Amino acid sequence: MRASSLGPRYTLIHTADESHLASFGEEVQSGLSGVPKTRPCRFLYDEAGSQLFEEICEVPEYYLTRVEREILAERADEIARCFSEPITLAELGSGSSSKTRLLIESLLRCHGRLRYVPVDISRSILEESAQELLERYDALEIMAIASEYQEGLRHVRTHTHRPKLVSWLGSSIGNLDRQEAASFLRGVRSLMVPADRMLVGIDLRKDAAVLEAAYDDAAGVTARFSLNLLERMNRELGADFDPEHFRHVATYLEEEGRVEIQLQSQRRQTASIDALELEVEFEAGEGIYTENAFKYSLDEIDALAGEADLHVEHQWFDADGRYSLNLLAPG
Ligand code: AVI
């Protein structure tokens, strides 16, 4: 752990140690040697992928970001009033903290001061957004944690005696399968005391057409985001994938409540990956499964919370009922 102070109201704790995570090369090796071929979705977010994801958040079909912001804009004061004293707001995967500003402003208005603990793997993003927030809000104190979520939360518990609100926005929970999601929430729950709450953005089940468009927009931004994975293998591992011969396909599997995203080979072909001394053969129509986005019914949200010894204390929706923001309490 490394702590550095960039000003009296700012502390950075840097614990990002990814040595326990399999490297890109190792994951490509195992993911493309198996049947079916898969890739963990975290590898979609290199610099180009992260930039493309920002663009996805602006396309008209991808409603998730927009409606979550709409709910926060309307409900942030109400969320703040759920606490009767100054709290610590911890945010998982904070990125640029743009939606969270709404919450920060309400919490400051309601309690006069706030300690904000953004947890993100990217130290540079943390520092950039912390600087802006500190300039804007005098009564804000920031302890930024550059680490994996779970590790970050352990620090939050050690460093704060105030009630905590742990926010996990953007429907990131949807990229975990249902068991992983429950086990993630159990992990957070184990670090919560009775006064703590968790605020989780969860996208809801809906028509296949709406969901498939959200994950395959007409301008092709999401397709470029997926295909960037092939380009990343070309750049970083000396592979020779031709993105022209793969197609981004997003399919909503209604019963399972998940959008399955794959890069589908458009012909029989072989790709070589020099750095791994690996040749990968594809049948026509064979996919590399890159991502799942799980969607929830209200009953499924209750059950998910229950599995983690949490319950839904408040739930807010956008005007069209597409998306939910859930305040989870222990017990
Ligand atoms: C980051 N995550 C919540 C996005 C989602 O909606 O599953 C990732 C994404 N992939 C394609 N479009 C958006």
Side-chain angles (χ1 to χ4, degrees):
M1 176 177 105
R2 213 162 72 218
S4 75
S5 187
L6 300 184
R9 291 186 289 126
Y10 180 74
T11 315
L12 172 77
I13 296 179
H14 189 261
T15 66
D17 170 13
E18 291 189 72
S19 55
H20 63 290
L21 294 174
S23 73
F24 185 47
E26 283 164 353
E27 288 280 8
V28 169
Q29 176 100 44
S30 64
L32 295 192
S33 306
V35 181
K37 297 178 171 67
T38 58
R39 304 283 308 100
C41 68
R42 68 190 154 96
F43 291 116
L44 290 163
Y45 299 89
D46 64 346
E47 209 183 318
S50 301
Q51 177 58 43
L52 283 162
F53 181 64
E54 298 277 305
E55 284 178 42
I56 288 176
C57 295
E58 304 292 326
V59 301
E61 297 93 329
Y62 192 74
Y63 58 87
L64 287 79
T65 314
R66 225 173 28 252
V67 301
E68 189 177 62
R69 192 185 305 273
E70 171 191 321
I71 303 173
L72 276 170
E74 257 177 47
R75 306 295 190 163
D77 284 347
E78 203 179 316
I79 296 169
R81 285 197 299 271
C82 291
F83 300 88
S84 56
E85 56 181 311
I87 63 163
T88 291
L89 170 65
E91 183 175 19
L92 303 179
S94 53
S96 65
S97 307
S98 67
K99 276 177 284 186
T100 312
R101 273 182 202 197
L102 297 161
L103 206 49
I104 290 176
E105 282 177 13
S106 292
L107 286 163
L108 283 170
R109 257 197 314 274
C110 194
H111 303 129
R113 60 202 156 95
L114 175 68
R115 172 184 262 204
Y116 175 49
V117 184
V119 181
D120 201 288
I121 201 73
S122 163
R123 179 182 166 163
S124 57
I125 288 188
L126 283 169
E127 290 193 336
E128 240 171 71
S129 71
Q131 210 123 33
E132 277 180 40
L133 291 171
L134 290 170
E135 274 167 27
R136 194 181 278 236
Y137 309 110
D138 291 339
L140 187 66
E141 185 198 328
I142 299 183
M143 181 176 85
I145 305 184
S147 79
E148 291 289 312
Y149 294 166
Q150 208 64 28
E151 172 71 9
L153 280 176
R154 270 190 285 279
H155 283 283
V156 179
R157 191 174 63 164
T158 321
H159 286 85
T160 189
H161 302 293
R162 296 180 191 171
K164 302 186 280 296
L165 173 60
V166 179
S167 77
W168 194 25
L169 301 176
S171 196
S172 300
I173 196 167
N175 297 130
L176 303 182
D177 70 31
R178 293 182 199 276
Q179 276 184 359
E180 290 167 340
S183 116
F184 186 87
L185 291 188
R186 271 195 297 275
V188 177
R189 168 67 185 94
S190 69
L191 302 167
M192 288 167 76
V193 299
D196 295 344
R197 297 289 181 270
M198 190 172 186
L199 185 67
V200 191
I202 305 181
D203 195 21
L204 300 175
R205 285 179 179 254
K206 58 184 64 64
D207 270 9
V210 175
L211 285 168
E212 289 178 357
Y215 288 88
D216 191 7
D217 60 281
V221 181
T222 312
R224 280 196 280 136
F225 170 72
S226 287
L227 289 163
N228 175 57
L229 195 61
L230 302 179
E231 281 155 16
R232 181 171 179 188
M233 289 191 272
N234 292 351
R235 280 192 298 271
E236 293 182 25
L237 302 174
D240 65 355
F241 286 96
D242 184 345
E244 298 270 306
H245 295 145
F246 286 85
R247 193 164 72 91
H248 163 82
V249 180
T251 314
Y252 183 52
L253 304 167
E254 186 121 32
E255 241 171 70
E256 296 175 50
R258 75 180 161 103
V259 180
E260 177 184 79
I261 300 178
Q262 57 174 304
L263 287 168
Q264 201 176 69
S265 176
Q266 294 305 284
R267 47 156 81 172
R268 205 162 179 214
Q269 56 182 317
T270 305
S272 12
I273 308 178
D274 284 354
L276 304 175
E277 294 178 3
L278 185 68
E279 302 261 292
V280 190
E281 288 181 9
F282 292 90
E283 296 297 330
E286 187 179 357
I288 306 176
Y289 293 87
T290 56
E291 237 187 334
N292 279 314
F294 281 84
K295 307 298 163 187
Y296 285 79
S297 67
L298 301 188
D299 285 347
E300 284 168 334
I301 295 176
D302 284 340
L304 172 71
E307 277 186 64
D309 186 31
L310 293 161
H311 69 275
V312 180
E313 191 175 56
H314 290 281
Q315 196 165 47
W316 298 278
F317 306 99
D318 59 299
D320 298 322
R322 281 170 290 185
Y323 192 91
S324 68
L325 199 56
N326 301 272
L327 191 70
L328 306 181

